[in-house]
Amino acid sequence: MEKEQLRQRYESLPDEVKKHLSFEAYAAMPEEVSKHITRFTAGDFEAIKELDDGTDDFGLDDFLFDDEVDFGYEDVNEIKEDNKMKICNTEAMKRIKELEAQKEMLVDNEDRYCQVSYKEGENKIAGDYDYDDTRKKIDALDDEMRAIRCALSKANCTVKVDGFGVTIGEALVMLAQKQNKKAQLESLTENKQLSRNVTYNGVVEYTECVYDVKRVKDDLKMLRGEISALQMAIDRANLTNYITV
């Protein structure tokens, strides 16, 4: 299907659906699914699971579930209270990317259609570009992105990462430091403990590491495990902590 046709079909969806489903996620769906998007019921839950095989850019969280359906656990998706919504950190970061893509699309559309060309004696064909409407939409996207980023920043400074005793923000700094340390240790492990070379005049020359290469390899193995554990802990914190925006 042409992208423009897909875009038109997406824009025709109810605003409540588009609020939870980005155009990129909608475009990634099989056509037989996307053209029938609506509120799902409990009976459709298993069918949706079959579609979510991990190969596409969308998952169960991209669908809007009926508020009246009880799945037996809380926070299936977004929880709205007093015109606000609760989303986990990971969903918030994903939402920011979606909003940035929407803003970029609006800016590109403005650059493309903010002018019209016509010859003398011809009728000017007005497009659907509207300056005020574009400003309103971009400002709304900026407002939402700013609110989400502020909530995320607060969470990063307060939410602790299990097993490490630091906040998410500190854990991200720690992760970068450990990655840099890993790169240096990998470089050190490439050296031989003792190597021998014959110079141009026939003199035997030895090069010896003043550190234990085997120990560095052991340290590197341990460090890789620490990095993996830290990454999982950060991901777990981002998935289990909810912010209100």
Side-chain angles (χ1 to χ4, degrees):
M1 176 180 291
E2 293 293 331
K3 187 174 183 179
E4 186 61 32
Q5 290 179 310
L6 193 63
R7 167 64 64 179
Q8 291 176 357
R9 200 168 71 187
Y10 172 78
E11 293 298 336
S12 67
L13 293 174
D15 291 339
E16 184 67 15
V17 174
K18 291 187 288 185
K19 188 173 183 179
H20 296 267
L21 180 66
S22 69
F23 173 71
E24 290 73 19
Y26 181 77
M29 295 178 183
E31 185 176 354
E32 290 303 313
V33 176
S34 63
K35 71 180 182 180
H36 294 298
I37 285 297
T38 182
R39 285 182 177 269
F40 287 96
T41 64
D44 297 306
F45 190 67
E46 293 302 323
I48 298 170
K49 281 186 176 180
E50 293 178 4
L51 292 172
D52 186 29
D53 58 3
T55 59
D56 293 315
D57 293 330
F58 65 97
L60 295 180
D61 287 343
D62 290 319
F63 292 96
L64 177 64
F65 291 95
D66 196 316
D67 295 333
E68 297 179 358
V69 177
D70 182 8
F71 291 99
Y73 55 90
E74 297 179 353
D75 300 330
V76 173
N77 197 355
E78 297 170 352
I79 306 172
K80 295 188 175 180
E81 296 177 357
D82 299 328
N83 295 324
K84 293 184 178 181
M85 62 182 179
K86 283 186 177 181
I87 54 178
C88 71
N89 295 7
T90 301
E91 289 175 300
M93 290 182 280
K94 178 181 177 181
R95 178 62 178 164
I96 289 174
K97 290 183 179 180
E98 293 174 351
L99 294 173
E100 288 175 340
Q102 292 177 27
K103 180 178 178 179
E104 183 179 356
M105 189 176 298
L106 284 171
V107 172
D108 289 343
N109 183 75
E110 181 171 55
D111 291 340
R112 184 178 302 178
Y113 299 111
C114 65
Q115 294 179 315
V116 294
S117 299
Y118 56 94
K119 296 179 181 178
E120 184 177 357
E122 291 182 342
N123 293 327
K124 180 175 67 175
I125 301 176
D128 58 358
Y129 166 74
D130 184 282
Y131 172 81
D132 292 327
D133 183 60
T134 301
R135 298 279 74 70
K136 181 180 179 180
K137 289 179 179 178
I138 290 179
D139 288 345
L141 292 173
D142 283 341
D143 289 345
E144 186 175 351
M145 281 190 284
R146 184 171 62 254
I148 296 176
R149 289 185 187 278
C150 288
L152 274 177
S153 296
K154 182 178 179 180
N156 286 342
C157 293
T158 56
V159 177
K160 294 287 187 177
V161 175
D162 290 341
F164 290 87
V166 297
T167 64
I168 294 177
E170 292 174 302
L172 291 172
V173 175
M174 182 187 297
L175 180 61
Q177 292 172 334
K178 288 182 179 293
Q179 293 284 13
N180 290 335
K181 181 179 179 180
K182 180 171 75 75
Q184 178 61 16
L185 294 189
E186 287 175 338
S187 176
L188 292 175
T189 58
E190 293 176 357
N191 296 325
K192 293 183 178 181
Q193 189 68 51
L194 179 66
S195 60
R196 173 184 153 180
N197 182 47
V198 179
T199 64
Y200 70 95
N201 56 359
V203 177
V204 177
E205 181 182 69
Y206 294 93
T207 301
E208 182 177 1
C209 290
V210 295
Y211 61 90
D212 188 342
V213 176
K214 183 180 182 303
R215 178 188 169 187
V216 176
K217 290 181 178 179
D218 292 338
D219 289 345
L220 178 58
K221 182 179 180 180
M222 183 179 299
L223 179 60
R224 285 172 173 162
E226 293 174 0
I227 290 174
S228 179
L230 181 57
Q231 287 175 325
M232 288 189 290
I234 293 173
D235 290 342
R236 185 164 52 250
N238 282 327
L239 286 168
T240 57
N241 181 71
Y242 279 75
I243 60 175
T244 301
V245 294

